[in-house]
Each structure stands twice: as structure tokens, then as C-alpha cells.
Amino acid sequence: MTTARERILEATAQLLAESDALAISTRAICERAKVGGPEIYRQFGDKQGLLAAVADVGFERFLANKRRNPLTADPVADLRTAWDSHVAFALANPHLYRLMFTPSGEPKPQAVKEAQGLLLEALKRCGDAGRLRLAPELAGQSILAANVGVCLMMLSFPELFGSLDISQAVRDAVIAKVTGDEQEDTRISAATVLARALAGTLTGTAPVDSATIEQVARALAT
């Protein structure tokens, strides 16, 4: 038999599949969970506490998906797989994803630290293979920040940034930046040039300069 807390969490997750967290009322949650209004405050303190708890449940699903990603002999290829699975989760759970990665108020979900920990484990494999240019912590922050940024742009402006080609261009540029991998194709698209510039600015290793701007202009003209 499920508890009141479990029913409230499940009801909120179901409503998040249909609409944004800001549009969900505590009344709707209580009606679906079949509990009285004070139960939310008894279990979670307030609505923000409930949303933080739901975000942590979302992170449990997110991290379970991450752990199912296969490991290969190529740790850099595994980073790309992890990026793509992150994007797939965001596209399949848009409202939950926004709640997880754009929290407002306190408390904030704490499981993002575990997500960063899994990424650091993957980067340690790259370092052990001699394929890591930056310190693992900085590399992990750079990749996760770029990954989340791409997902939020895809969700918020799908008509402009919804193409998986954009995600893959930024993915390859950022991962190449932190691992030192050379791109096989010397024909650099405008999106890739821009992604490289952003990655350089993000890590502090290569700020945007006039040469980069000229390179972007040439890429746009081809």
C-alpha cells in the first residue's frame, strides 16, 4: 500500500508530464493524489519542497539511464554517448527536465552532484588513457554546462535549436576541447566554430578574438 508521500510524488510527476511546474496547482496535486491540502505541507514543508523532492526523483531516473550507457574501449566515444543520452532524456521529459536543471528558490535538488560525479568517473577514464587536456573538475563542469545549455535551448526554442545536428556539433566541439581530440573533417561548419569559441570562453582557455570572428564569417559564407 502506497503512502501519502508516495502518492503525492507520483501525482506531481504525472502532472509534470502534461504541463510546466508553474502551471500545476497544489489543489490539482491533492485531487490526483487523493489527499487533503495540508498533507503537502506536512510531508514537504511547502510546494517548493515538494518540487525539489520530485526533481530528485527525476534525477534518480536520469542517473539510472546514465548507468545503463555501455562502456567501450574508447572513453571519449563514451562521453559522446553520455551526452546523447542526456539530450534524449531532456526531450522525452521536457517539464521534468526544466524542473531538475532550472530550480527556483530553496531547497534545490542535490542529485545534480551525483550526475557530476558520474561524469567525473568518465573523465577519469579519459585521463587514464592520456586523452584529457583539462583538469577533470573543469572538464566536467564545462561538458555538463554545455549539455544542459543545449537541452534548454532545444526545449525552449525548438524551431531554432531543435535539430540534433546542433547538439552534435556542440557536443563534438566541447568534448574535443577538453580531450584534445582532433576533428576528422577539416570542413568546419559555422555551428562548430561557434561552439568551439563558446567552449573556449567557458573554460577560459581560448577567449573569442577577431580571428575567430573571421572564421565564423567564412564558415557562414560557405
Side-chain angles (χ1 to χ4, degrees), residues 138-162:
L138 179 57
Q141 290 170 334
S142 301
I143 292 173
L144 186 57
N147 208 169
V148 172
V150 164
C151 289
L152 292 176
M153 294 300 280
M154 294 178 79
L155 295 177
S156 299
F157 305 98
E159 69 284 358
L160 295 175
F161 299 97

Side-chain angles (χ1 to χ4, degrees), residues 5 55 60 66 69 140 161 189-190 213 216:
R5 182 182 181 89
E60 290 176 8
K66 286 283 188 182
N69 288 335
F161 299 97
S189 69
I213 295 173
V216 172

Side-chain angles (χ1 to χ4, degrees), residues 7-153:
R7 293 200 305 276
I8 292 170
L9 287 171
E10 179 62 24
T12 308
Q14 290 173 358
L15 290 167
L16 272 173
E18 303 164 6
S19 59
D20 184 79
L22 293 177
I24 299 173
S25 67
T26 54
R27 180 178 179 180
I29 295 169
C30 291
E31 287 178 352
R32 185 165 296 205
K34 294 181 171 53
V35 298
E39 195 64 34
I40 286 179
Y41 300 94
R42 187 177 298 115
Q43 296 289 340
F44 302 97
D46 54 20
K47 183 181 177 182
Q48 182 59 39
L50 167 59
L51 292 177
V54 173
D56 278 327
V57 173
F59 268 109
E60 290 176 8
R61 290 174 49 199
F62 175 78
L63 293 169
N65 286 342
K66 286 283 188 182
R67 294 187 186 97
R68 284 195 289 270
N69 288 335
L71 296 181
T72 70
D74 186 342
V76 176
D78 292 345
L79 284 179
R80 298 189 187 98
T81 298
W83 176 294
D84 291 342
S85 70
H86 184 134
V87 171
F89 181 92
L91 295 180
N93 306 276
H95 303 305
L96 176 60
Y97 185 85
R98 286 194 184 96
L99 177 63
M100 291 163 55
F101 285 99
T102 59
S104 60
E106 298 291 343
K108 289 181 169 55
Q110 296 301 304
V112 68
K113 297 176 183 177
E114 189 173 352
Q116 186 73 353
L118 284 179
L119 181 53
L120 287 174
E121 290 177 12
L123 288 165
K124 184 178 183 301
R125 292 181 62 228
C126 294
D128 291 343
R131 300 178 69 185
L132 192 61
R133 177 182 290 176
L134 303 179
E137 293 77 9
L138 179 57
Q141 290 170 334
S142 301
I143 292 173
L144 186 57
N147 208 169
V148 172
V150 164
C151 289
L152 292 176
M153 294 300 280

Side-chain angles (χ1 to χ4, degrees), residues 80 168-169 171-173 176 181-193 196 215 219 222:
R80 298 189 187 98
Q168 291 164 2
R171 175 200 68 191
D172 291 346
D181 274 19
E182 296 295 331
Q183 293 211 351
E184 295 179 1
D185 191 347
T186 58
R187 298 170 298 171
I188 303 173
S189 69
T192 305
V193 173
R196 282 180 171 174
Q215 192 178 15
T222 58

